[in-house]
Amino acid sequence: AWYMAMIAYPLRSGQHVLIHSAAGGVGHLLVQLAAQVGCVVFAVASGTGKMERLKKLGAQHVIDRSVADYAQATRSLLGDRRLDVSFNAVGGSTFKKDLALLGDCGTLVMYGGAERGAGAFGALRFVWRMGLLIPILLMMRSRSLIGGNMLRVGEHRPEVLAECLHGIARANREGWLSPIAAAPFPKDRLAQAHELLEGGQSIGKVSVRW
């Protein structure tokens, strides 16, 4: 979250920001980071129980994707404006929808593929739904596409990873960045931890103690 919102795409006050999976382990931190900077935050999650929690984290607009199409809801809330940036951990069909919501000079930050199905067929369907991207069209509207993979950052830019760790530690000490994590599962309950995560009922990080 720190790498994407502070280094790869430094947020600016007043920007309109869409955050997918906003109640997830990365998403709930992105909400806090964007709110701290002074952005207008559109938080997308599933389940009424998460909506009030996201508001408390700083999101001005919360969208329950289990109730309505998130893109239509976001467009309605935006009115005549367009998004400045979308942080997308879903991919698949949301990729084209997010591009349509972006304004000129907008940026789509991809850091996950939650919509990807199992097996080769699931992967092919995932890629098909995203479609082809023509670079010249991005250039003409000054749009950007950024990919985030912290494994690659750690392998090739360890000093950047260190900067992220120092940044989150400082923000936590200052009291404006508070990671949410449920009590760790013991290792013999690994299956239950997966079920909680896959069921979409968790908020923040799900951890297992070995």
Side-chain angles (χ1 to χ4, degrees):
W2 190 277
Y3 171 74
M4 290 182 293
M6 296 297 194
I7 297 175
Y9 182 86
L11 292 172
R12 301 169 65 90
S13 178
Q15 287 183 319
H16 286 56
V17 178
L18 179 68
I19 300 173
H20 286 269
S21 305
V26 177
H28 84 284
L29 295 172
L30 284 169
V31 170
Q32 294 178 64
L33 290 168
Q36 174 69 16
V37 172
C39 298
V40 179
V41 180
F42 299 77
V44 181
S46 179
T48 56
K50 299 177 181 179
M51 300 298 106
E52 193 61 35
R53 191 68 176 271
L54 289 171
K55 288 182 179 179
K56 290 180 179 179
L57 292 178
Q60 291 92 336
H61 305 287
V62 293
I63 300 167
D64 188 343
R65 60 180 173 82
S66 67
V67 174
D69 180 76
Y70 84 89
Q72 293 181 4
T74 302
R75 189 173 292 108
S76 177
L77 291 167
L78 283 167
D80 294 333
R81 287 191 60 95
R82 286 292 181 267
L83 290 175
D84 295 294
V85 59
S86 170
F87 292 98
N88 190 315
V90 181
S93 61
T94 66
F95 181 77
K96 292 180 180 179
K97 290 181 178 181
D98 281 13
L99 282 179
L101 290 169
L102 289 178
D104 291 348
C105 304
T107 299
L108 177 53
V109 182
M110 298 289 303
Y111 68 97
E115 197 175 283
R116 183 184 185 276
F121 179 75
L124 287 172
R125 184 175 59 181
F126 180 75
V127 173
W128 175 263
R129 286 177 174 175
M130 295 183 74
L132 297 176
L133 189 64
I134 302 175
I136 189 67
L137 298 180
L138 291 177
M139 185 184 73
M140 294 302 294
R141 298 191 61 180
S142 196
R143 288 176 169 177
S144 304
L145 177 61
I146 296 175
N149 185 331
M150 296 312 295
L151 292 175
R152 293 291 180 263
V153 175
E155 289 173 0
H156 301 287
R157 298 291 301 277
E159 73 282 0
V160 174
L161 186 59
E163 181 182 341
C164 294
L165 293 173
H166 286 297
I168 60 175
R170 182 177 64 255
N172 184 249
R173 287 196 305 269
E174 293 172 355
W176 60 267
L177 186 65
S178 300
I180 298 172
F185 284 81
K187 62 181 180 180
D188 59 351
R189 294 187 62 203
L190 178 61
Q192 287 87 344
H194 272 285
E195 289 172 1
L196 175 63
L197 185 63
E198 294 168 6
Q201 300 303 309
S202 61
I203 298 178
K205 282 291 185 183
V206 175
S207 59
V208 176
R209 176 171 289 146
W210 293 84

